[in-house]
């Protein structure tokens, strides 16, 4: 669509609204007849016209109609269709609240309020959405043992998650890595607390703080355009009833690997006040402490090194949210929503590093405490005027990652070792001495550091909706604008000390083992190094330690930076209902200006620090993003959808800032790329979906994405550093983000969920299935290219793309007892691109089995038990071929149990 066509469309649609001056407004709330709970996503339509809408999260609806005597029909999965007669005068705002009755008999009401209620909310919203999306409601989230937002999202078709220490952390959508997915809270992007990325680690956000999660797989023009994989919107809860609602749970748990317990609890209060329930207040809090760990073996193929890694962790997750809204009258309302989450991670990492070439064994311990917090404040208003709708909002959000201490110490012993990989899963270690004997280890190095990463967003937006009518068909013209200012920074303090003489051997600083056995008792860890004992000795004897001043200066300069980013956006879109066909089209414009300040560290040819110089830079880029969506109602319960959209993804700050991180001990380096370009994509989607009136869905779809300038992390093994000019380090593994030429993703997804009530002997069971297949192809400069033949290319899979992702769940829901067994599967995917094809690193396929059970004592109290990772699925990485493991990490199973209440 060119500019002239766009302006003509705006004029045409705006002009058509002039005939709307005498139109009236109908609005109201749809609730359940059983418990007066609001019904989200209900279809509300005016018989004999194309006027239709869907209720929002508060069960409310509104639309413009012609005056006169009308019939309104309401449809909701699991409920009987309801028809009411309404008489509306010219220019009148008529409030029509409607109560719906369940399809189920009175004896089966427990089914509606128990099993299907969460599904019904989600599926009704999904059915009536203008774009292709999946929605999961809080009730549905609670039926799976998923404590954080990332793990709740793993149940959605096309979603894969990356795990850290067995817990879900990052979300990948439709075969694309996490950086291609946009994450919002209540419709606005939240910043990332991590220093090097834009995307948010969703393990920091408790799932019990959310009313629902929306996964939009095809963008509309009123959404932020920087989301190629899709957009995830986390929606917090709000008050719905004049009766005080107090609900929550209290539980404990057990981690089998660590033989330690955990605790978890949640408490929520919500109520509406006043004669007309104008004021709504909701407060929600949750806390989770988890003691966990892992046993791991890691291999470095090029250097012929092997590590034994013993992790012990204590993690906490605190969630606080609130909602305050006030309805002045039927035309005007204001709201203020907040959410705060704080995730802490206390990590002890104890490891051996076997280095046969140097005839050395290193023994190291890391003691680190890290906290991540995210705060989001949204304040806004909604207005219904005679001829148009208006809403506006301001948002402040802040995220930080704070590491007050990160202490790591190492000792070295001159012990020869031989490594054998005849058993690919369990390498053999041979030494002529007892490598666990601490008396043989001499002090090597002590590092003590701290860091602080901050990211702040300030956003303002406005949206205007103008209803219109063309040839009897209803439509809505919507346009708006947004500005967002981001400031991101990272500061680090790092002190590294070596031995000046006199520091005792490891015997004096040994601690006690934290586990009875390590890695199925195949390896021995002995008594580990206790870093706190060594730091105590350091404080008492500082004269025996030497601060590495040059290393301190270079480490701090290389990693620290400040950056700012300003985004200006505007859009126009029209939604037209033509009998059974809905057409939504429009265009969005986004302009981004980013600037940064960092430091360039220059080393002399002999490797000594030569200079630290400030460096700054900036870039500006624009995107025009057309979007078109079609939805055709084949029937009241069947939709056919299609979409063509254009979107993009910004590079991470750490990728574009020309900083350099050098770790000579591990012989690895990470280098920024100031010339990196954003990734753009043209997306095609086709989806068919049929909903069951008894609450359920079967759907199938295909999608195709054509990417330009895709970003990938390339690892160049044993490279001289720097990459150009006189080398100061002869061999080091260099990682750098680069733009590829072009790439594509082709995929298909299938979903089915339904209660099996049509089979008599399975009427109390339900089945939940989804499966997604993706195939990607990316073209980049060949790793075999030379200076004389630099134009040759090669094709690879997109990093982060798992060919197969799926979920399965079988549930039983009786009058009092319920149980569910669930499995989550993801295929292998490319994690890092190596210097050659044989050096590419992959994450192996994984299938996790979880189980839950519950017993309803009465309508207010329910006992529950949850068990996760019952089959002890590991994280496994391999290099080159699937039998050449470079990492295997096991977590065992963990469980929770407790009491849920709703007073």
């Amino acid at each position: 669509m060119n500019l002239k066509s766009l302006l003509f469309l705006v004029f045409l649609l705006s002009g058509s609204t002039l005939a709307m001056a005498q139109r009236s407004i109908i609005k109201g709330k749809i609730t359940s007849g059983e418990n007066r709970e609001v019904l989200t996503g209900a279809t509300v339509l005016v018989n004999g016209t194309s006027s239709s809408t869907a209720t929002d999260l508060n069960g409310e609806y509104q639309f413009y109609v012609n005056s006169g005597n009308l019939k309104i029909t309401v449809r909701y999965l699991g409920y009987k269709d309801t028809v009411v007669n309404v008489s509306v005068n010219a220019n009148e705002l008529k409030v029509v609240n409607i109560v719906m009755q369940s399809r189920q008999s009175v004896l089966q009401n427990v089914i509606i309020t128990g099993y299907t209620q969460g599904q019904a909310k989600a599926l009704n919203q999904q059915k009536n959405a203008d774009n292709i999306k999946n929605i999961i409601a809080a009730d549905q989230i609670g039926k799976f043992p998923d404590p954080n937002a990332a793990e709740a999202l793993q149940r959605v078709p096309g979603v894969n998650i990356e795990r850290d220490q067995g817990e879900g952390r990052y979300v990948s959508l439709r075969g694309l890595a996490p950086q291609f997915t946009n994450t919002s809270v209540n419709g606005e992007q939240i910043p990332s607390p991590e220093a090097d990325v834009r995307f948010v680690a969703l393990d920091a956000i408790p799932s019990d703080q959310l009313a629902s999660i929306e996964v939009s797989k095809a963008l509309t023009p009123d959404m932020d355009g920087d989301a190629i994989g899709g957009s995830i919107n986390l929606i917090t809860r709000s008050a719905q009833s004049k009766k005080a609602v107090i609900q929550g749970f209290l539980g404990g748990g057990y981690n089998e690997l660590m033989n330690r317990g955990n605790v978890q609890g949640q408490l929520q209060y919500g109520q509406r006040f006043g004669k007309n329930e104008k004021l709504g207040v909701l407060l929600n809090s949750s806390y989770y402490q988890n003691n966990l760990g892992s046993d791991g073996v890691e291999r470095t193929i090029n250097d012929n090194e092997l590590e034994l890694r013993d992790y012990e962790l204590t993690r906490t997750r605190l969630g606080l949210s609130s909602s305050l809204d006030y309805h002045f009258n039927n035309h005007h309302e204001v709201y203020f929503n907040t959410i705060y989450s704080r995730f802490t991670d206390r990590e002890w990492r104890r490891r051996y590093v076997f280095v046969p070439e140097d005839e050395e064994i290193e023994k190291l311990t890391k003691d680190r405490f890290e906290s991540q917090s995210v705060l989001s404040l949204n304040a806004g208003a909604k207005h219904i005027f005679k001829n148009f709708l208006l809403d506006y909002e301001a948002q402040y959000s802040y995220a930080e990652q704070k590491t007050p201490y990160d202490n790591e110490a190492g000792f070295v012993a001159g012990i020869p070792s031989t490594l054998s990989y005849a058993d690919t899963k369990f390498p053999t270690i041979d030494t002529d001495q007892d490598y666990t004997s601490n008396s043989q280890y001499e002090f090597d190095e002590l590092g003590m550091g701290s860091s602080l990463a901050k990211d702040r967003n300030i956003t303002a937006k406005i949206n205007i909706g103008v209803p219109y009518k063309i040839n009897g068909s209803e439509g809505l013209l919507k346009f708006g604008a947004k500005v967002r200012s981001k400031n991101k920074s990272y500061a680090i303090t790092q002190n590294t000390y070596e031995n000046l003489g006199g520091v005792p051997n490891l015997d004096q600083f040994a601690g006690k083992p934290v586990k009875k056995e390590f890695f199925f008792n195949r390896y021995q860890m002995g008594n580990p190094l206790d870093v706190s004992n060594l730091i105590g000795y350091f404080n008492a004897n500082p004269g025996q330690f030497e601060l590495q001043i040059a290393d301190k200066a270079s480490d701090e300069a290389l990693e620290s930076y400040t950056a700012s980013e300003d985004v200006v956006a505007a859009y126009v879109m029209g939604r037209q209902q033509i009998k059974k066909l809905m057409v939504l089209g429009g265009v969005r414009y986004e302009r981004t200006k980013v600037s940064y300040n960092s430091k360039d560290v220059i080393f002399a040819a002999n490797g000594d620090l030569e200079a630290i110089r400030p460096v700054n830079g900036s870039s500006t880029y624009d995107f025009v993003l057309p979007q078109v969506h079609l939805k055709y109602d084949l029937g009241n319960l069947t939709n056919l959808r299609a979409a063509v959209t254009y979107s993009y993804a910004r590079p991470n700050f750490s990728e574009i800032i020309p900083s350099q991180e050098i770790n000579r001990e591990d012989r690895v380096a990470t280098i920024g790329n100031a010339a990196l370009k954003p990734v753009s994509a043209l997306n095609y989607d086709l989806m068919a979906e049929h909903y069951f009136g008894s609450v359920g869905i079967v759907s199938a779809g295909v999608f195709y994405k054509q990417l330009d300038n895709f970003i990938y992390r390339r690892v160049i093994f044993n490279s001289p550093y720097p990459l150009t000019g006189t080398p100061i380090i002869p061999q080091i593994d260099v990682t750098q983000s680069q733009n590829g030429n072009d790439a594509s993703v082709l995929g298909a997804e299938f979903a089915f969920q339904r209660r099996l009530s049509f089979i008599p002997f399975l009427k109390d069971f339900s089945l939940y299935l989804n499966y997604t297949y993706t195939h990607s192809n990316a073209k980049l400069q060949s790793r075999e290219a030379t200076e004389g033949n630099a134009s040759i290319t090669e094709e690879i899979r997109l990093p982060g793309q798992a060919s197969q992702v799926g979920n399965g769940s079988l549930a039983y829901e009786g009058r009092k007892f319920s149980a569910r067994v669930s499995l989550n599967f993801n295929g292998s995917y490319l994690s890092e691109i190596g210097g050659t094809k044989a050096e590419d690193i992959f994450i192996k396929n994984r299938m996790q089995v979880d189980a839950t059970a519950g017993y309803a004592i009465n309508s207010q109290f329910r006992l529950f038990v949850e068990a996760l990772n019952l089959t002890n699925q590991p994280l496994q990485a391999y290099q080159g071929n699937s039998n050449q493991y470079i990492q295997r990490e096991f977590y065992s199973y963990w469980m929770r149990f407790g009491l849920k209440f709703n007073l």
Side-chain angles (χ1 to χ4, degrees):
M1 180 181 295
N2 59 35
L3 181 59
K4 288 183 179 180
S5 301
L6 179 61
L7 292 176
F8 176 75
L9 176 62
V10 173
F11 173 78
L12 176 64
L13 297 182
S14 299
S16 68
T17 66
L18 297 178
M20 307 295 290
Q22 300 302 312
R23 302 200 78 194
S24 305
I25 301 172
I26 295 179
K27 68 176 297 185
K29 180 177 287 190
I30 310 298
T31 56
S32 165
E34 289 78 25
N35 52 21
R36 295 290 172 165
E37 181 166 350
V38 300
L39 298 181
T40 299
T43 301
V44 187
L45 56 90
V46 180
N47 292 9
T49 75
S50 60
S51 296
S52 66
T53 187
T55 55
D56 62 16
L57 291 173
N58 298 317
E60 296 177 346
Y61 71 94
Q62 64 183 34
F63 44 41
Y64 288 78
V65 297
N66 292 328
S67 59
N69 296 320
L70 310 173
K71 284 189 176 182
I72 295 179
T73 298
V74 184
R75 298 190 180 111
Y76 193 83
L77 299 178
Y79 287 75
K80 299 175 182 178
D81 290 357
T82 301
V83 181
V84 297
N85 296 315
V86 180
S87 178
V88 187
N89 298 321
N91 295 324
E92 180 185 7
L93 189 156
K94 188 85 169 185
V95 177
V96 182
N97 296 322
I98 300 172
V99 178
M100 302 192 71
Q101 300 300 320
S102 165
R103 288 176 180 267
Q104 309 295 329
S105 67
V106 174
L107 292 176
Q108 293 175 313
N109 280 345
V110 65
I111 296 175
I112 285 294
T113 58
Y115 166 70
T116 59
Q117 197 169 63
Q119 280 186 311
K121 288 180 180 180
L123 293 179
N124 276 283
Q125 292 179 78
Q126 187 173 312
K127 172 178 172 289
N128 291 305
D130 290 335
N131 61 329
I132 297 172
K133 65 168 60 174
N134 294 102
I135 300 174
I136 47 177
D139 297 353
Q140 191 174 359
I141 294 172
K143 296 184 181 300
F144 293 92
D146 302 326
N148 66 56
E151 295 186 359
L153 281 161
Q154 72 181 319
R155 313 295 177 180
V156 175
V159 172
N160 186 28
I161 62 173
E162 295 182 15
R163 300 175 186 270
D164 180 72
Q165 296 298 324
E167 292 190 318
R169 170 160 286 187
Y170 300 118
V171 175
S172 301
L173 187 57
R174 286 191 157 181
L176 293 169
Q179 58 263 37
F180 294 101
T181 300
N182 183 331
T183 303
S184 301
V185 169
N186 296 322
E188 277 309 312
Q189 287 190 30
I190 53 175
S192 171
E194 298 184 56
D196 53 346
V197 297
R198 290 179 179 274
F199 51 90
V200 180
L202 290 180
D203 58 348
I205 299 180
S207 59
D208 49 37
Q209 293 296 305
L210 305 175
S212 62
I213 304 176
E214 297 179 343
V215 181
S216 293
K217 296 175 176 177
L219 304 182
T220 55
D222 56 346
M223 301 172 64
D224 290 328
D226 55 335
I228 294 176
S231 179
I232 295 170
N233 187 24
L234 311 175
I235 301 173
T236 57
R237 304 179 183 185
S238 59
Q240 303 292 342
S241 171
K242 64 180 179 180
K243 178 185 176 182
V245 176
I246 300 173
Q247 64 183 37
F249 65 88
L250 182 65
Y254 171 76
N255 183 282
E256 193 275 336
L257 182 68
M258 302 304 300
N259 293 308
R260 295 177 63 183
N262 56 63
V263 295
Q264 186 175 10
Q266 185 244 344
L267 180 63
Q268 175 186 304
Y269 161 78
Q271 189 173 6
R272 301 203 68 84
F273 298 91
K275 181 180 178 180
N276 297 316
E277 302 179 25
K278 290 186 174 182
L279 177 64
V281 177
L282 184 135
L283 304 172
N284 192 3
S285 63
S286 63
Y287 179 78
Y288 179 38
Q289 182 188 49
N290 191 15
N291 295 292
L292 64 160
S294 65
D295 293 350
V297 174
E298 297 191 16
R299 175 188 179 190
T300 305
I301 294 175
N302 293 334
D303 297 326
N304 188 32
E305 294 181 4
L306 186 72
E307 292 189 24
L308 304 179
R309 293 191 169 212
D310 179 9
Y311 282 90
E312 174 191 3
L313 305 104
T314 297
R315 289 177 170 174
T316 68
R317 190 177 290 112
L318 171 68
L320 300 170
S321 62
S322 67
S323 174
L324 182 68
D325 65 90
Y326 188 81
H327 294 216
F328 292 97
N329 50 44
N330 292 323
H331 293 266
H332 309 287
E333 64 179 271
V334 294
Y335 60 88
F336 180 59
N337 298 323
T338 70
I339 183 170
Y340 172 79
S341 64
R342 185 172 188 264
F343 174 80
T344 70
D345 185 4
R346 176 73 184 275
E347 175 188 298
W348 293 269
R349 183 185 68 190
R350 306 170 179 97
R351 57 182 179 140
Y352 286 98
V353 181
F354 297 87
V355 190
E357 291 186 6
D358 296 338
E359 296 188 344
E360 288 182 348
I361 301 176
E362 302 172 17
K363 191 168 185 176
L364 310 97
T365 296
K366 180 178 184 177
D367 180 4
R368 185 214 65 196
F369 179 84
E370 183 174 274
S371 67
Q372 291 186 359
S373 59
V374 177
L375 170 68
S376 178
L377 310 175
N378 299 68
K382 299 178 181 179
H383 306 279
I384 303 175
F385 293 104
K386 185 177 179 180
N387 293 318
F388 67 95
L389 310 172
L390 171 67
D391 68 82
Y392 46 86
E393 182 180 275
Q395 183 225 33
Y396 172 86
S397 55
Y398 174 79
E400 73 170 29
Q401 178 174 284
K402 187 175 183 179
T403 308
Y405 61 87
D406 186 353
N407 303 323
E408 183 167 5
F411 285 70
V412 177
I415 301 176
S417 60
T418 302
L419 307 176
S420 171
Y421 301 96
D423 186 337
T424 58
K425 293 185 176 181
F426 300 99
T428 302
I429 304 169
D430 289 323
T431 61
D432 57 5
Q433 303 173 50
D434 179 10
Y435 68 83
T436 66
S437 174
N438 289 327
S439 61
Q440 301 185 74
Y441 289 84
E442 298 180 350
F443 174 73
D444 179 48
E445 189 174 85
L446 170 64
M448 293 185 289
S450 62
S451 63
L452 177 63
K454 298 187 291 185
D455 197 350
R456 186 223 67 194
N457 284 355
I458 297 178
T459 307
K461 68 177 182 181
I462 184 170
N463 299 293
I464 300 173
V466 182
Y468 65 88
K469 197 170 187 178
I470 296 179
N471 297 326
S473 296
E474 302 289 339
L476 178 71
L477 172 69
K478 187 176 180 183
F479 53 93
K482 174 187 285 190
V483 293
R484 182 173 65 243
S485 173
K486 173 188 284 290
N487 285 296
K488 192 174 182 72
S489 64
Y490 182 55
I492 181 172
T493 300
Q494 181 64 44
N495 296 311
T496 302
Y497 297 90
E498 294 184 358
N499 194 353
L500 270 179
V503 180
N505 63 23
L506 184 51
D507 264 340
Q508 185 163 328
F509 310 110
K512 295 181 179 179
V514 296
K515 300 173 185 173
K516 294 181 179 179
E517 64 178 43
F518 173 80
F519 216 85
F520 313 107
N521 212 26
R522 288 179 175 267
Y523 308 101
Q524 301 301 314
M525 296 298 290
N527 292 329
L529 161 64
D530 188 327
V531 177
S532 60
N533 288 343
L534 177 59
I535 292 176
Y537 182 87
F538 166 84
N539 292 332
N541 303 274
Q544 297 179 10
F545 297 83
E546 180 182 19
L547 175 64
Q548 305 302 296
I549 298 175
D551 289 347
K552 173 182 173 64
S554 60
D555 288 344
E556 295 177 2
L558 288 169
E559 296 194 51
S560 300
Y561 71 88
T562 61
S564 64
E565 181 179 87
D566 295 321
V567 178
V568 178
Y571 74 92
V572 61
M573 60 181 266
R575 181 191 186 277
Q576 181 70 52
Q577 188 71 40
I578 308 171
K579 295 184 179 180
K580 294 185 176 183
L581 175 66
M582 187 281 300
V583 181
L584 187 152
V587 64
R588 184 179 185 87
Y589 167 76
E590 291 194 1
R591 180 181 179 86
T592 303
K593 181 179 181 180
V594 59
S595 59
Y596 53 82
N597 294 279
S598 60
K599 293 183 174 64
D600 206 357
V601 179
I602 301 171
F603 294 93
N606 61 1
D608 292 339
L609 178 64
E610 182 178 292
I612 297 176
R613 299 173 183 170
V615 60
N616 58 70
S618 63
S619 63
T620 301
Y621 47 88
D622 303 81
F623 280 95
V624 177
L625 309 168
Q627 327 274 5
V628 177
H629 296 259
L630 304 174
K631 182 176 77 168
Y632 186 78
D633 298 333
L634 295 175
N636 291 338
L637 298 174
T638 307
N639 294 328
L640 181 63
R641 300 176 181 270
V644 180
T645 59
Y646 192 63
S647 57
Y648 72 103
R650 298 182 176 96
N652 289 313
F653 283 102
S654 62
E655 293 171 330
I656 60 174
I657 293 172
S659 60
Q660 308 162 76
E661 182 179 353
I662 313 294
N663 185 329
R664 295 197 178 198
E665 177 187 3
D666 295 337
R667 290 189 289 279
V668 295
T670 303
I671 302 173
N673 183 357
L676 207 59
K677 301 175 183 178
V679 186
S680 59
L682 186 59
N683 314 286
Y684 302 89
D685 291 270
L686 183 64
M687 176 73 68
E689 52 191 21
H690 175 75
Y691 295 85
F692 302 107
S694 56
V695 184
I697 184 178
V698 58
S699 66
V702 293
F703 56 90
Y704 177 77
K705 298 177 181 291
Q706 181 65 50
L707 284 70
D708 291 323
N709 294 316
F710 80 95
I711 297 172
Y712 67 99
R713 288 171 61 86
R714 183 177 179 185
V715 181
I716 309 171
F717 290 95
N718 295 318
S719 168
Y721 175 81
L723 298 177
T724 60
T726 304
I728 58 173
I729 302 175
Q731 287 187 332
I732 194 168
D733 296 344
V734 176
T735 300
Q736 185 183 50
S737 294
Q738 299 180 359
N739 285 113
N741 296 339
D742 55 66
S744 63
V745 179
L746 175 65
E749 66 179 49
F750 166 82
F752 176 87
Q753 55 176 299
R754 189 179 181 183
R755 191 177 186 87
L756 303 179
S757 54
F758 55 93
I759 305 175
F761 63 92
L762 295 177
K763 62 183 179 63
D764 292 329
F765 288 84
S766 64
L767 191 61
Y768 182 95
L769 299 170
N770 61 63
Y771 171 79
T772 303
Y773 172 81
T774 57
H775 171 77
S776 68
N777 185 280
K779 185 181 293 184
L780 68 157
Q781 182 186 37
S782 173
R783 287 167 283 184
E784 305 297 328
T786 62
E787 184 176 354
N789 193 16
S791 61
I792 62 173
T793 61
E794 66 173 300
E795 295 182 351
I796 62 167
R797 291 170 58 181
L798 272 175
Q801 178 255 322
S803 297
Q804 301 182 74
V805 177
N807 286 279
S809 176
L810 180 65
Y812 169 82
E813 187 85 13
R815 293 295 301 271
K816 288 183 174 291
F817 177 75
S818 63
R820 180 185 295 267
V821 176
S822 307
L823 62 86
N824 174 260
F825 170 80
N826 66 266
S828 63
Y829 61 88
L830 176 63
S831 176
E832 293 184 5
I833 299 175
T836 67
K837 185 176 181 179
E839 293 169 336
D840 288 344
I841 296 175
F842 294 83
I843 302 298
K844 200 173 182 65
N845 57 278
R846 184 181 189 276
M847 184 169 70
Q848 178 168 314
V849 178
D850 306 320
T852 63
Y855 180 80
I857 301 172
N858 53 40
S859 61
Q860 294 178 309
F861 296 96
R862 184 178 185 86
L863 299 171
F864 72 92
V865 60
E866 302 172 345
L868 294 88
N869 197 29
L870 289 172
T871 53
N872 190 19
Q873 288 298 294
L875 168 68
Q876 300 183 106
Y878 62 90
Q879 186 171 327
N881 67 77
S882 58
N883 290 321
Q884 192 165 254
Y885 291 98
I886 62 170
Q887 182 181 7
R888 300 186 74 229
E889 194 170 87
F890 288 83
Y891 316 102
S892 191
Y893 69 88
W894 56 100
M895 61 188 302
R896 296 187 293 269
F897 48 85
L899 175 70
K900 295 183 179 181
F901 56 89
N902 190 347
L903 307 178

